[in-house]
Amino acid sequence: MVRPKFKQKCKICREEWVTINYREFPICVKCHIRQIFSEEITDKKYIFLNIDQKIYEKSRFLRNIRQNYLMYKSLTENQVKTFKKAVKDLKNPKIKTEEE
């Protein structure tokens, strides 16, 4: 079942409109980026989280993973695996041809 999307103003800056699903916190990309880059990641195990900021701007999922690390200082194996897969897909998007 497809859930409806809502438009709300960002709860932090209260300037930009954000399209969200039910139960998501309304935060604009600019404020979210500011939050997740407020702290540097120096742990060698999670150094893969230090990717280009432009990639984080494209995906709310990646921003949420980095935010989870900053809150809890750890990630599950599935979060790490999916993060790496999502980054790879964003860097090298598949181009669909008419034959497929």
Side-chain angles (χ1 to χ4, degrees):
M1 183 171 106
V2 178
R3 296 191 180 201
K5 293 189 179 228
F6 303 95
K7 266 193 163 181
Q8 286 187 348
K9 286 210 172 194
C10 175
K11 293 279 186 179
I12 296 174
C13 67
R14 301 192 191 289
E15 293 175 5
E16 295 194 32
W17 287 92
V18 183
T19 305
I20 58 167
N21 290 324
Y22 179 68
R23 292 190 180 182
E24 284 183 346
F25 183 75
I27 183 169
C28 66
V29 174
K30 197 169 41 172
C31 293
H32 209 179
I33 292 287
R34 197 175 329 123
Q35 264 187 356
I36 65 173
F37 281 100
S38 65
E39 194 177 322
E40 245 184 80
I41 298 175
T42 56
D43 189 6
K44 289 183 181 179
K45 185 177 178 184
Y46 297 107
I47 203 77
F48 63 89
L49 292 171
N50 290 330
I51 58 174
D52 190 23
Q53 187 172 338
K54 291 180 182 179
I55 295 174
Y56 278 114
E57 290 173 0
K58 293 179 185 177
S59 173
R60 183 181 179 115
F61 171 75
L62 297 180
R63 293 192 303 266
N64 286 338
I65 295 288
R66 185 173 170 122
Q67 186 176 21
N68 285 342
Y69 171 76
L70 293 175
M71 279 196 295
Y72 306 116
K73 298 299 181 201
S74 67
L75 295 173
T76 65
E77 288 180 29
N78 284 339
Q79 285 175 320
V80 171
K81 185 172 62 172
T82 335
F83 181 90
K84 289 179 179 179
K85 183 180 182 290
V87 169
K88 181 180 161 192
D89 290 346
L90 282 174
K91 284 184 177 179
N92 304 318
K94 289 183 180 178
I95 300 172
K96 291 188 177 184
T97 60
E98 294 178 16
E99 297 171 2
E100 291 180 2

mmCIF file of all heavy atoms in Angstrom, residues 1 3 6-7 10 13 15 18 30 32 39 41-42 46-47 51 63 67 73 75 77 79 82-83 88 90-91:
data_model
loop_
_atom_site.group_PDB
_atom_site.id
_atom_site.type_symbol
_atom_site.label_atom_id
_atom_site.label_comp_id
_atom_site.label_asym_id
_atom_site.label_seq_id
_atom_site.Cartn_x
_atom_site.Cartn_y
_atom_site.Cartn_z
ATOM 1 N N MET A 1 0.831 -1.176 0.000
ATOM 2 C CA MET A 1 0.000 0.000 0.000
ATOM 3 C C MET A 1 0.884 1.250 0.000
ATOM 4 O O MET A 1 1.822 1.355 0.791
ATOM 5 C CB MET A 1 -0.890 -0.009 1.245
ATOM 6 C CG MET A 1 -1.836 1.143 1.299
ATOM 7 S SD MET A 1 -3.019 0.940 2.620
ATOM 8 C CE MET A 1 -2.405 2.119 3.770
ATOM 9 N N ARG A 3 1.776 4.882 0.860
ATOM 10 C CA ARG A 3 1.401 5.830 1.901
ATOM 11 C C ARG A 3 1.469 7.247 1.352
ATOM 12 O O ARG A 3 2.341 7.562 0.544
ATOM 13 C CB ARG A 3 2.326 5.689 3.087
ATOM 14 C CG ARG A 3 2.167 4.331 3.713
ATOM 15 C CD ARG A 3 2.855 4.250 5.008
ATOM 16 N NE ARG A 3 2.636 2.898 5.509
ATOM 17 C CZ ARG A 3 2.747 2.564 6.747
ATOM 18 N NH1 ARG A 3 3.090 3.450 7.635
ATOM 19 N NH2 ARG A 3 2.537 1.333 7.131
ATOM 20 N N PHE A 6 3.388 14.086 2.745
ATOM 21 C CA PHE A 6 2.919 15.364 3.260
ATOM 22 C C PHE A 6 3.989 16.420 3.046
ATOM 23 O O PHE A 6 5.168 16.102 2.990
ATOM 24 C CB PHE A 6 2.615 15.267 4.759
ATOM 25 C CG PHE A 6 1.612 14.215 5.104
ATOM 26 C CD1 PHE A 6 2.018 12.948 5.495
ATOM 27 C CD2 PHE A 6 0.257 14.492 5.039
ATOM 28 C CE1 PHE A 6 1.092 11.981 5.806
ATOM 29 C CE2 PHE A 6 -0.669 13.534 5.356
ATOM 30 C CZ PHE A 6 -0.258 12.261 5.747
ATOM 31 N N LYS A 7 3.559 17.654 2.981
ATOM 32 C CA LYS A 7 4.498 18.772 2.916
ATOM 33 C C LYS A 7 4.407 19.522 4.234
ATOM 34 O O LYS A 7 3.317 19.910 4.658
ATOM 35 C CB LYS A 7 4.158 19.713 1.771
ATOM 36 C CG LYS A 7 4.887 19.417 0.515
ATOM 37 C CD LYS A 7 4.724 20.563 -0.439
ATOM 38 C CE LYS A 7 5.791 20.452 -1.511
ATOM 39 N NZ LYS A 7 5.701 21.541 -2.446
ATOM 40 N N CYS A 10 10.330 22.766 7.535
ATOM 41 C CA CYS A 10 11.428 22.203 8.315
ATOM 42 C C CYS A 10 11.272 22.619 9.781
ATOM 43 O O CYS A 10 11.034 23.787 10.080
ATOM 44 C CB CYS A 10 12.762 22.709 7.763
ATOM 45 S SG CYS A 10 14.188 22.207 8.722
ATOM 46 N N CYS A 13 14.790 25.118 10.727
ATOM 47 C CA CYS A 13 14.914 26.477 10.188
ATOM 48 C C CYS A 13 13.560 27.146 9.946
ATOM 49 O O CYS A 13 13.471 28.357 9.851
ATOM 50 C CB CYS A 13 15.737 26.481 8.913
ATOM 51 S SG CYS A 13 14.959 25.648 7.518
ATOM 52 N N GLU A 15 11.889 27.435 7.311
ATOM 53 C CA GLU A 15 11.853 28.208 6.067
ATOM 54 C C GLU A 15 11.495 27.350 4.864
ATOM 55 O O GLU A 15 10.671 27.745 4.051
ATOM 56 C CB GLU A 15 13.212 28.880 5.833
ATOM 57 C CG GLU A 15 13.539 29.944 6.850
ATOM 58 C CD GLU A 15 14.927 30.506 6.661
ATOM 59 O OE1 GLU A 15 15.594 30.142 5.678
ATOM 60 O OE2 GLU A 15 15.335 31.308 7.496
ATOM 61 N N VAL A 18 9.361 20.591 3.131
ATOM 62 C CA VAL A 18 9.933 19.252 3.007
ATOM 63 C C VAL A 18 8.793 18.269 2.747
ATOM 64 O O VAL A 18 7.769 18.311 3.418
ATOM 65 C CB VAL A 18 10.667 18.840 4.308
ATOM 66 C CG1 VAL A 18 11.310 17.484 4.147
ATOM 67 C CG2 VAL A 18 11.679 19.874 4.712
ATOM 68 N N LYS A 30 19.491 21.057 3.921
ATOM 69 C CA LYS A 30 20.503 21.983 4.427
ATOM 70 C C LYS A 30 20.715 21.814 5.939
ATOM 71 O O LYS A 30 21.847 21.731 6.409
ATOM 72 C CB LYS A 30 20.069 23.413 4.093
ATOM 73 C CG LYS A 30 21.146 24.435 4.177
ATOM 74 C CD LYS A 30 20.737 25.778 3.578
ATOM 75 C CE LYS A 30 19.330 26.178 3.918
ATOM 76 N NZ LYS A 30 18.975 27.529 3.513
ATOM 77 N N HIS A 32 19.827 19.177 7.783
ATOM 78 C CA HIS A 32 20.284 17.819 8.059
ATOM 79 C C HIS A 32 21.783 17.688 7.803
ATOM 80 O O HIS A 32 22.506 17.072 8.595
ATOM 81 C CB HIS A 32 19.493 16.834 7.203
ATOM 82 C CG HIS A 32 19.342 15.489 7.816
ATOM 83 N ND1 HIS A 32 18.656 14.489 7.196
ATOM 84 C CD2 HIS A 32 19.774 14.958 8.979
ATOM 85 C CE1 HIS A 32 18.677 13.407 7.945
ATOM 86 N NE2 HIS A 32 19.364 13.675 9.035
ATOM 87 N N GLU A 39 30.089 16.964 13.605
ATOM 88 C CA GLU A 39 31.087 16.173 14.315
ATOM 89 C C GLU A 39 31.868 15.344 13.297
ATOM 90 O O GLU A 39 31.279 14.766 12.391
ATOM 91 C CB GLU A 39 30.358 15.251 15.296
ATOM 92 C CG GLU A 39 31.214 14.614 16.325
ATOM 93 C CD GLU A 39 30.369 13.792 17.284
ATOM 94 O OE1 GLU A 39 29.257 14.229 17.631
ATOM 95 O OE2 GLU A 39 30.845 12.708 17.663
ATOM 96 N N ILE A 41 34.154 12.135 12.036
ATOM 97 C CA ILE A 41 34.244 10.706 12.333
ATOM 98 C C ILE A 41 35.711 10.301 12.208
ATOM 99 O O ILE A 41 36.289 10.359 11.122
ATOM 100 C CB ILE A 41 33.359 9.897 11.371
ATOM 101 C CG1 ILE A 41 31.907 10.310 11.574
ATOM 102 C CG2 ILE A 41 33.548 8.412 11.596
ATOM 103 C CD1 ILE A 41 30.938 9.691 10.630
ATOM 104 N N THR A 42 36.292 9.894 13.324
ATOM 105 C CA THR A 42 37.707 9.526 13.342
ATOM 106 C C THR A 42 37.921 8.047 13.602
ATOM 107 O O THR A 42 39.041 7.558 13.464
ATOM 108 C CB THR A 42 38.458 10.327 14.419
ATOM 109 O OG1 THR A 42 37.824 10.121 15.684
ATOM 110 C CG2 THR A 42 38.451 11.815 14.081
ATOM 111 N N TYR A 46 34.738 3.059 11.056
ATOM 112 C CA TYR A 46 33.641 3.742 10.369
ATOM 113 C C TYR A 46 34.129 4.885 9.492
ATOM 114 O O TYR A 46 33.375 5.809 9.202
ATOM 115 C CB TYR A 46 32.638 4.260 11.402
ATOM 116 C CG TYR A 46 31.997 3.141 12.187
ATOM 117 C CD1 TYR A 46 32.338 2.909 13.512
ATOM 118 C CD2 TYR A 46 31.076 2.292 11.592
ATOM 119 C CE1 TYR A 46 31.761 1.874 14.225
ATOM 120 C CE2 TYR A 46 30.494 1.261 12.293
ATOM 121 C CZ TYR A 46 30.844 1.052 13.607
ATOM 122 O OH TYR A 46 30.274 0.016 14.310
ATOM 123 N N ILE A 47 35.349 4.808 9.020
ATOM 124 C CA ILE A 47 35.921 5.860 8.171
ATOM 125 C C ILE A 47 35.190 5.945 6.823
ATOM 126 O O ILE A 47 35.224 6.987 6.168
ATOM 127 C CB ILE A 47 37.445 5.654 8.004
ATOM 128 C CG1 ILE A 47 38.121 6.964 7.643
ATOM 129 C CG2 ILE A 47 37.761 4.598 6.973
ATOM 130 C CD1 ILE A 47 38.296 7.878 8.800
ATOM 131 N N ILE A 51 32.345 10.405 3.232
ATOM 132 C CA ILE A 51 32.254 10.513 1.775
ATOM 133 C C ILE A 51 31.898 11.953 1.423
ATOM 134 O O ILE A 51 31.653 12.774 2.302
ATOM 135 C CB ILE A 51 31.214 9.531 1.188
ATOM 136 C CG1 ILE A 51 29.835 9.780 1.808
ATOM 137 C CG2 ILE A 51 31.660 8.104 1.377
ATOM 138 C CD1 ILE A 51 28.739 8.956 1.193
ATOM 139 N N ARG A 63 22.041 10.004 4.959
ATOM 140 C CA ARG A 63 22.116 10.976 6.054
ATOM 141 C C ARG A 63 21.631 10.363 7.359
ATOM 142 O O ARG A 63 22.213 10.591 8.424
ATOM 143 C CB ARG A 63 21.292 12.225 5.718
ATOM 144 C CG ARG A 63 21.862 13.034 4.569
ATOM 145 C CD ARG A 63 21.205 14.385 4.444
ATOM 146 N NE ARG A 63 19.763 14.342 4.282
ATOM 147 C CZ ARG A 63 19.130 14.347 3.111
ATOM 148 N NH1 ARG A 63 19.822 14.381 1.994
ATOM 149 N NH2 ARG A 63 17.823 14.321 3.058
ATOM 150 N N GLN A 67 23.689 9.883 10.835
ATOM 151 C CA GLN A 67 23.111 10.435 12.049
ATOM 152 C C GLN A 67 23.000 9.357 13.131
ATOM 153 O O GLN A 67 23.269 9.617 14.312
ATOM 154 C CB GLN A 67 21.736 11.034 11.751
ATOM 155 C CG GLN A 67 21.118 11.753 12.906
ATOM 156 C CD GLN A 67 19.810 12.403 12.532
ATOM 157 O OE1 GLN A 67 19.169 12.027 11.556
ATOM 158 N NE2 GLN A 67 19.408 13.383 13.309
ATOM 159 N N LYS A 73 27.207 5.770 18.163
ATOM 160 C CA LYS A 73 28.623 5.432 18.004
ATOM 161 C C LYS A 73 28.853 3.997 17.544
ATOM 162 O O LYS A 73 29.915 3.425 17.763
ATOM 163 C CB LYS A 73 29.402 5.679 19.303
ATOM 164 C CG LYS A 73 29.394 7.114 19.752
ATOM 165 C CD LYS A 73 30.034 8.015 18.739
ATOM 166 C CE LYS A 73 30.021 9.451 19.235
ATOM 167 N NZ LYS A 73 30.162 10.397 18.186
ATOM 168 N N LEU A 75 27.189 0.922 14.366
ATOM 169 C CA LEU A 75 26.231 0.554 13.334
ATOM 170 C C LEU A 75 26.177 -0.962 13.252
ATOM 171 O O LEU A 75 27.161 -1.646 13.563
ATOM 172 C CB LEU A 75 26.640 1.119 11.975
ATOM 173 C CG LEU A 75 26.647 2.632 11.809
ATOM 174 C CD1 LEU A 75 27.243 2.991 10.457
ATOM 175 C CD2 LEU A 75 25.263 3.198 11.948
ATOM 176 N N GLU A 77 25.849 -4.614 11.135
ATOM 177 C CA GLU A 77 26.480 -5.096 9.892
ATOM 178 C C GLU A 77 25.600 -4.795 8.682
ATOM 179 O O GLU A 77 26.108 -4.438 7.614
ATOM 180 C CB GLU A 77 26.730 -6.601 9.982
ATOM 181 C CG GLU A 77 27.840 -6.985 10.924
ATOM 182 C CD GLU A 77 28.046 -8.486 10.965
ATOM 183 O OE1 GLU A 77 27.761 -9.164 9.950
ATOM 184 O OE2 GLU A 77 28.496 -8.967 12.011
ATOM 185 N N GLN A 79 23.472 -2.318 8.349
ATOM 186 C CA GLN A 79 23.532 -0.885 8.044
ATOM 187 C C GLN A 79 24.796 -0.557 7.260
ATOM 188 O O GLN A 79 24.753 0.215 6.300
ATOM 189 C CB GLN A 79 23.489 -0.062 9.336
ATOM 190 C CG GLN A 79 22.136 0.019 9.981
ATOM 191 C CD GLN A 79 22.190 0.727 11.308
ATOM 192 O OE1 GLN A 79 23.109 0.550 12.095
ATOM 193 N NE2 GLN A 79 21.174 1.536 11.576
ATOM 194 N N THR A 82 24.464 -2.049 3.635
ATOM 195 C CA THR A 82 23.516 -1.306 2.812
ATOM 196 C C THR A 82 24.019 0.101 2.506
ATOM 197 O O THR A 82 23.767 0.620 1.419
ATOM 198 C CB THR A 82 22.146 -1.181 3.523
ATOM 199 O OG1 THR A 82 21.978 -2.229 4.442
ATOM 200 C CG2 THR A 82 21.024 -1.249 2.547
ATOM 201 N N PHE A 83 24.715 0.711 3.458
ATOM 202 C CA PHE A 83 25.289 2.038 3.227
ATOM 203 C C PHE A 83 26.281 1.971 2.068
ATOM 204 O O PHE A 83 26.223 2.788 1.150
ATOM 205 C CB PHE A 83 25.996 2.531 4.495
ATOM 206 C CG PHE A 83 26.591 3.906 4.358
ATOM 207 C CD1 PHE A 83 25.857 5.020 4.684
ATOM 208 C CD2 PHE A 83 27.891 4.084 3.902
ATOM 209 C CE1 PHE A 83 26.398 6.296 4.559
ATOM 210 C CE2 PHE A 83 28.443 5.340 3.769
ATOM 211 C CZ PHE A 83 27.685 6.450 4.100
ATOM 212 N N LYS A 88 27.626 3.076 -3.603
ATOM 213 C CA LYS A 88 28.083 2.549 -4.904
ATOM 214 C C LYS A 88 27.032 2.819 -5.984
ATOM 215 O O LYS A 88 27.371 3.228 -7.103
ATOM 216 C CB LYS A 88 28.337 1.046 -4.771
ATOM 217 C CG LYS A 88 28.831 0.378 -6.005
ATOM 218 C CD LYS A 88 29.035 -1.098 -5.759
ATOM 219 C CE LYS A 88 29.090 -1.841 -7.056
ATOM 220 N NZ LYS A 88 29.004 -3.283 -6.886
ATOM 221 N N LEU A 90 24.763 5.222 -6.000
ATOM 222 C CA LEU A 90 24.665 6.653 -6.275
ATOM 223 C C LEU A 90 25.841 7.159 -7.099
ATOM 224 O O LEU A 90 25.690 8.067 -7.912
ATOM 225 C CB LEU A 90 24.574 7.445 -4.973
ATOM 226 C CG LEU A 90 23.209 7.449 -4.296
ATOM 227 C CD1 LEU A 90 23.280 8.128 -2.944
ATOM 228 C CD2 LEU A 90 22.182 8.154 -5.166
ATOM 229 N N LYS A 91 27.015 6.566 -6.890
ATOM 230 C CA LYS A 91 28.182 6.994 -7.660
ATOM 231 C C LYS A 91 28.127 6.478 -9.092
ATOM 232 O O LYS A 91 28.563 7.148 -10.012
ATOM 233 C CB LYS A 91 29.472 6.501 -6.990
ATOM 234 C CG LYS A 91 29.845 7.297 -5.764
ATOM 235 C CD LYS A 91 31.162 6.835 -5.209
ATOM 236 C CE LYS A 91 31.586 7.670 -4.014
ATOM 237 N NZ LYS A 91 32.861 7.205 -3.448
#
